[in-house]
Amino acid sequence: MSSVEVNIEKARAYNKVKKYKESLEHYELALADGGELSLGDKDKYSWDLYFVKVKDNEFIDEIEESAKKIVNTVSQKDNSKGKKACPYTLAVIKLMKMYTEGEQYLDVLRWASKLKPELLSNEQFKPNDEITMNSNKENYYLQTTKALLAIEKYDQTIKYCQDALVNIPKFNNNNDVWFKLRIAKSYKELGDYDASIDFLNDILKTKHDWYLSRDMAENYFLKEEYDESLKWAARGILSRDGKLESKVNLFAMIGDILEIKGFEDESIINKYMAYVIRNAQEWAIDDEVKNLLSNYGLDLENKDFKALFEEYKNMWVSLKYFGQERQYGVIDKVFNDGKAGFIKANGKSYYFYAYEFMDDKSYIYEGTEVSFYLEDAYNKSKDEMVKNAVNIYCEML
């Protein structure tokens, strides 16, 4: 028996008992001596490479080198029926994720091109009862669409996101939202603002993150529908999630819109708010803005944007509900947990959350007279849009 045959036999034996490192060493000895591997040995050799050189490795150059060996040795297997994943798929998906984390988007797409998405599994992995991991198909589309959007390939982003929405039957962690959001962003960049707004409205049925309001505001700004843009921008600013410093561009946008509409004082306040945030974070500040604000005698050393926000908070509340009259009614029902209830007004009932009650929460009980605004909300059980009571104040004080 030749040395090549001996090494292959040893490699098989080690692989069988899951001693992948020893198995890999013998396969590489056989290959170094000019040996050729059978289809079965190629599969075992690829698994050895994955477990030893790829799976727990943190060095991307080493992973890429081994991944190249894998894709040159075996083909991508059809895992679309939920069969066990192959080393080819696992190695490529890991590289795509690592390159995405490093914002190396061309490399993400280079490796994405080596996979056929129709062969990927939709099966999600549960390491325990509390955690569910994305399927390989989800990971493929998440990394690919993020990379396409980042390099401004908007038409392709839309296509791949739509493919994901059609071909993934069940999404982990609401990943479908990311695909819809990337479609919305792409349509905005392509100038189809109405299509972007439609996708954002669909997302807003179930999610209310501040950045969705920001994207709506940007679309309406580009449509030159400034009143609507102001409402959405103010909604994003007042949203309970997100840090104020993350919303710096919303303040600047409101400042620009109010300047266009001729509200000079309010415009300056918003531009100053954006300036103070930038000053506090030590971000770049446009000299033209700095010179403008200095003409108003404002403190250009100010960094306390939180205090400034509280001082002028009512202005953003007014912008959010501009054109809407306050409603008056009575708390008609409070749920046992005290987190929500219904307000009766004008013969109708409006759902409310306790966090929308602006006064002392001890006044949240049946019979309390209140005033409030109305805001669009989605009733999932009835699959319809409704009006909720928001910005609620007690009228009995």
Side-chain angles (χ1 to χ4, degrees):
M1 184 180 291
S2 69
S3 62
V4 168
E5 292 172 318
V6 169
N7 280 316
I8 288 177
E9 286 297 327
K10 288 183 177 179
R12 290 171 181 166
Y14 279 122
N15 181 277
K16 187 174 182 179
V17 295
K18 298 183 179 181
K19 291 188 175 183
Y20 301 114
K21 182 178 180 182
E22 291 83 353
S23 177
L24 179 60
E25 289 173 354
H26 285 286
Y27 273 129
E28 289 185 336
L29 285 172
L31 290 169
D33 286 340
E36 291 193 11
L37 304 182
S38 67
L39 289 177
D41 286 312
K42 286 181 178 180
D43 192 54
K44 292 180 177 66
Y45 172 57
S46 295
W47 275 116
D48 289 343
L49 283 167
Y50 174 74
F51 283 120
V52 178
K53 301 286 189 179
V54 176
K55 185 174 183 290
D56 297 317
N57 199 338
E58 297 180 358
F59 298 99
I60 199 163
D61 291 340
E62 294 179 7
I63 296 172
E64 172 143 349
E65 181 182 351
S66 295
K68 285 179 179 177
K69 289 180 181 179
I70 292 173
V71 299
N72 289 329
T73 301
V74 294
S75 300
Q76 179 187 358
K77 287 185 170 59
D78 186 353
N79 304 127
S80 60
K81 304 302 181 184
K83 299 175 184 177
K84 183 179 179 181
C86 61
Y88 185 111
T89 295
L90 294 174
V92 174
I93 291 291
K94 172 154 186 173
L95 266 179
M96 288 176 64
K97 291 173 72 175
M98 291 186 75
Y99 277 126
T100 298
E101 290 169 1
E103 299 183 356
Q104 295 173 256
Y105 297 118
L106 292 177
D107 288 312
V108 174
L109 297 174
R110 175 167 59 87
W111 280 95
S113 68
K114 300 181 186 300
L115 287 174
K116 296 178 180 178
E118 65 272 15
L119 301 183
L120 296 173
S121 172
N122 275 313
E123 188 173 315
Q124 297 168 352
F125 174 61
K126 289 184 69 67
N128 56 55
D129 292 338
E130 297 179 356
I131 298 175
T132 300
M133 308 293 287
N134 297 339
S135 69
N136 284 326
K137 187 170 286 188
E138 274 181 290
N139 278 326
Y140 166 82
Y141 278 113
L142 285 169
Q143 314 313 321
T144 301
T145 56
K146 185 172 184 177
L148 288 169
L149 182 62
I151 65 170
E152 301 178 2
K153 298 293 185 181
Y154 303 121
D155 287 323
Q156 287 180 272
T157 301
I158 293 170
K159 177 187 180 302
Y160 275 81
C161 285
Q162 288 174 334
D163 286 348
L165 292 171
V166 169
N167 294 311
I168 299 174
K170 182 180 179 181
F171 293 92
N172 185 36
N173 293 326
N174 297 315
N175 280 329
D176 55 324
V177 170
W178 290 109
F179 295 119
K180 292 175 183 178
L181 185 57
R182 287 168 189 169
I183 291 174
K185 287 180 177 293
S186 296
Y187 275 127
K188 186 190 77 172
E189 294 300 329
L190 290 170
D192 192 343
Y193 309 124
D194 289 331
S196 180
I197 288 168
D198 285 343
F199 272 91
L200 289 170
N201 274 324
D202 187 41
I203 298 169
L204 283 160
K205 289 179 180 179
T206 54
K207 288 183 70 67
H208 302 95
D209 302 77
W210 76 272
Y211 55 80
L212 298 172
S213 297
R214 175 202 62 197
D215 290 354
M216 288 290 270
E218 290 175 352
N219 274 295
Y220 281 111
F221 180 82
L222 293 166
K223 281 167 62 72
E224 298 184 3
E225 295 182 19
Y226 297 129
D227 288 346
E228 201 66 24
S229 182
L230 281 174
K231 292 177 186 178
W232 281 104
R235 176 172 170 170
I237 286 170
L238 295 169
S239 179
R240 296 165 67 239
D241 69 305
K243 297 179 179 179
L244 278 177
E245 51 266 43
S246 300
K247 304 174 184 181
V248 60
N249 291 334
L250 281 176
F251 292 107
M253 182 191 299
I254 290 178
D256 289 340
I257 294 173
L258 292 175
E259 181 181 5
I260 291 170
K261 292 175 69 65
F263 295 98
E264 181 181 352
D265 292 342
E266 292 82 356
S267 170
I268 292 299
I269 291 170
N270 280 274
K271 291 183 178 183
Y272 184 52
M273 183 71 189
Y275 171 90
V276 174
I277 290 174
R278 289 189 169 277
N279 193 37
Q281 302 301 316
E282 297 183 353
W283 294 337
I285 297 174
D286 186 272
D287 287 337
E288 186 175 340
V289 172
K290 191 172 184 177
N291 291 334
L292 171 67
L293 296 175
S294 67
N295 292 333
Y296 285 82
L298 295 168
D299 179 9
L300 299 185
E301 301 301 317
N302 189 1
K303 295 184 177 182
D304 193 354
F305 57 86
K306 292 182 179 179
L308 188 63
F309 174 75
E310 291 300 325
E311 182 178 354
Y312 292 102
K313 186 175 181 178
N314 285 337
M315 177 182 61
W316 294 296
V317 172
S318 297
L319 289 173
K320 179 180 178 180
Y321 301 111
F322 178 75
Q324 184 181 154
E325 291 185 6
R326 286 190 73 81
Q327 307 289 314
Y328 293 86
V330 176
I331 295 179
D332 187 49
K333 180 180 177 66
V334 179
F335 297 127
N336 290 335
D337 61 8
K339 294 181 179 180
F342 284 96
I343 292 172
K344 192 169 185 178
N346 303 317
K348 297 181 180 179
S349 288
Y350 300 104
Y351 189 84
F352 75 91
Y353 290 101
Y355 60 73
E356 286 289 349
F357 201 85
M358 301 292 109
D359 287 320
D360 189 330
K361 299 294 190 288
S362 65
Y363 286 95
I364 302 178
Y365 56 81
E366 294 176 12
T368 298
E369 297 177 5
V370 294
S371 67
F372 57 94
Y373 287 118
L374 293 174
E375 187 170 274
D376 289 334
Y378 176 66
N379 186 321
K380 188 175 182 180
S381 62
K382 294 183 179 180
D383 189 26
E384 64 181 14
M385 298 302 295
V386 296
K387 296 286 187 182
N388 280 357
V390 295
N391 194 246
I392 306 163
Y393 281 89
C394 178
E395 292 295 316
M396 299 167 60
L397 298 178

